Amino acid sequence: MQFKGLKIGVPKEVMSGERRVAVIPDTVKKLTAEGAKVLIEKGAGIGSYFSDEEYLNAGAQIVDSTEKTYAAADIIMKVKEPLFNSQENKCEVDMMHENQVLVTFLHPAAPCNHQMVKDLAAKKVISFTLDSVPRISRAQSMDALTSMSTVAGYKGMLSAADRLPKFIPMIGTAAGMIRPATVLVIGAGVAGLQAIATAKRLGAVTHAVDIRPDAVEQAASLGAKVIETGVPADIAVAEGGYARHLPQEWLTKEREAITDIVSKADIIILTALVPGKVAPVLLTKEMVLTMKPGSIIVDIAIDQGGNCLLSAGGEIKEFNGIIIDGSKNIPARVPVSSTWMFANNIYSFVAYLYKDGSLVIDQEDEITGKSLVTRNGQIVHAGALEAINNY
């Protein structure tokens, strides 16, 4: 049996506003059928509308505290990175133990997570980050980043629309015609395309920016007006179709190419990421100062540092009359859909790692090697090491 003799712990998420949970009753049944004992902290599923009784009926055991959940588990399955737990009055990393396996979104390259990653290594925790699972066909069922990006693009655009102090579509009124809002989406990956589609449905004049030709083509197919950056494809596109981290001269040229449309935008949705690395800064303070008061920036890339220099992780703030939304848990605002996707993704990933109750780590394997963050007391994730050394 795949998980024979293993105890899987599922703590209640502690990030403010986080309503997702790492397993649902359906995946509990799959885990227990393969020999696992699933330990779920009391109330862990309430935010996603799963009761303790439903988990019990699926074969899980309910544990009455976070610390007990961590202490008993061989594997911890979480949604977000370890944080300070105010109920236990200690950090979640401090509740972990040597050789415990952690699977979650760690975003290890983000500066705000560097110390946490170092602490995981010091604890000799074996940690994996789902944001580094490669987008290849055999990893599709484990691709939680794509699943959550779909939610983030959709909800991020709706959140911006809710805060915008004007109509989004063109509206004919007794007083005259009101012009539609202008939306700029930077980064036409999964989140960006969903944001574009949502903006178009709302009636906005929508513009898109991406340095990858294929992404630009997809954005145009959704009706977005494409802003050309002039970055050559051989510089812009990495293996697997991902965006590269641009050299400074090309990053400057990209900023120059979007400066005019930035000043005209009522809403800017930022989604540009380089897998496993710090997100590129595409909006400087000077660029934000050109925007109209009342405009909105939603920095969906904030988990990896953010695309706006002024964004702050987990904060919504106002600068010069412009709202800058650095919320770190946008998918948590759609907990039913996002939890269903995440739970199935993380189950597939954990199932890939284990055979006959044993963890199999092959760092030459593209999926395992790229998602592994800490092992044997060392940080082994390439993007995290690069970011930590350069920070």
Side-chain angles (χ1 to χ4, degrees):
M1 301 176 81
Q2 197 161 15
F3 303 113
K4 184 179 180 181
L6 294 172
K7 294 180 180 178
I8 296 174
V10 182
K12 187 174 183 178
E13 299 293 326
V14 297
M15 178 176 282
S16 177
E18 182 56 72
R19 297 177 62 186
R20 291 170 292 175
V21 63
V23 302
I24 59 178
D26 283 348
T27 56
V28 168
K29 291 175 184 177
K30 293 179 183 180
L31 291 164
T32 55
E34 289 295 334
K37 289 184 179 180
V38 182
L39 312 174
I40 298 180
E41 183 182 350
K42 183 179 180 180
I46 296 299
S48 298
Y49 304 101
F50 293 109
S51 67
D52 291 344
E53 184 178 0
E54 288 177 276
Y55 284 116
L56 284 169
N57 291 339
Q61 299 176 28
I62 303 299
V63 182
D64 62 10
S65 78
T66 308
E67 192 154 21
K68 289 179 183 177
T69 304
Y70 276 99
D74 303 300
I75 308 165
I76 294 293
M77 293 168 65
K78 275 179 55 58
V79 178
K80 298 300 290 183
E81 68 270 21
L83 297 167
F84 183 80
N85 185 313
S86 57
Q87 285 192 329
E88 301 286 355
N89 199 32
K90 62 176 65 176
C91 289
E92 290 180 289
V93 173
D94 294 334
M95 293 184 251
M96 303 189 75
H97 52 81
E98 185 174 344
N99 290 325
Q100 192 168 45
V101 175
L102 170 66
V103 181
T104 186
F105 278 124
L106 282 173
H107 300 290
C112 61
N113 290 334
H114 289 177
Q115 187 57 53
M116 177 266 294
V117 171
K118 292 175 183 177
D119 293 342
L120 286 172
K123 276 276 189 174
K124 296 187 176 179
V125 172
I126 303 168
S127 63
F128 295 87
T129 187
L130 293 167
D131 59 279
S132 291
V133 172
R135 282 178 175 152
I136 56 177
S137 57
R138 65 191 179 93
Q140 188 171 355
S141 65
M142 333 170 184
D143 192 355
L145 184 60
T146 290
S147 295
M148 297 305 101
S149 294
T150 300
V151 184
Y154 165 78
K155 193 64 173 180
M157 181 59 220
L158 292 181
S159 298
D162 186 51
R163 291 194 175 94
L164 190 69
K166 60 187 289 186
F167 287 128
I168 286 194
M170 180 180 288
I171 299 283
T173 76
M177 190 68 70
I178 297 178
R179 294 168 60 85
T182 297
V183 172
L184 171 62
V185 178
I186 301 180
V190 175
L193 291 172
Q194 191 61 236
I196 290 167
T198 305
K200 291 294 291 182
R201 292 187 200 108
L202 292 172
V205 175
T206 308
H207 297 75
V209 175
D210 202 293
I211 58 176
R212 299 164 296 168
D214 287 351
V216 163
E217 185 177 334
Q218 291 180 66
S221 73
L222 291 174
K225 299 179 180 181
V226 173
I227 307 299
E228 298 291 342
T229 64
V231 180
D234 60 332
I235 292 175
V237 184
E239 181 184 354
Y242 294 108
R244 290 185 191 275
H245 242 305
L246 295 180
Q248 188 58 47
E249 60 177 301
W250 284 107
L251 186 60
T252 299
K253 289 180 180 179
E254 183 179 3
R255 290 173 183 158
E256 290 171 351
I258 65 174
T259 296
D260 183 57
I261 187 61
V262 164
S263 68
K264 298 173 181 176
D266 297 296
I267 293 173
I268 298 180
I269 307 291
L270 300 169
T271 75
L273 294 174
V274 178
K277 297 188 177 182
V278 176
V281 174
L282 299 173
L283 285 189
T284 63
K285 178 180 178 180
E286 290 72 25
M287 294 168 75
V288 174
L289 283 170
T290 69
M291 296 177 68
K292 302 183 293 288
S295 300
I296 315 290
I297 297 170
V298 179
D299 199 341
I300 292 174
I302 194 66
D303 278 331
Q304 288 178 220
N307 293 145
C308 178
L309 188 64
L310 301 177
S311 300
E315 294 183 20
I316 301 171
K317 62 183 183 179
E318 187 171 322
F319 172 78
N320 201 44
I322 297 146
I323 294 175
I324 303 174
D325 186 345
S327 298
K328 295 187 69 175
N329 56 347
I330 293 174
R333 300 182 204 165
V334 193
V336 173
S337 297
S338 57
T339 289
W340 182 83
M341 289 189 288
F342 183 86
N344 283 287
N345 291 145
I346 196 172
Y347 168 79
S348 295
F349 182 82
V350 172
Y352 185 80
L353 296 177
Y354 282 85
K355 184 176 181 180
D356 297 327
S358 296
L359 176 64
V360 179
I361 297 180
D362 177 6
Q363 288 186 242
E364 298 302 313
D365 176 80
E366 189 173 5
I367 297 171
T368 309
K370 288 188 175 181
S371 58
L372 184 64
V373 179
T374 59
R375 184 189 187 192
N376 297 328
Q378 302 293 321
I379 300 171
V380 298
H381 187 276
L385 288 170
E386 178 184 339
I388 289 170
N389 291 334
N390 291 335
Y391 184 65

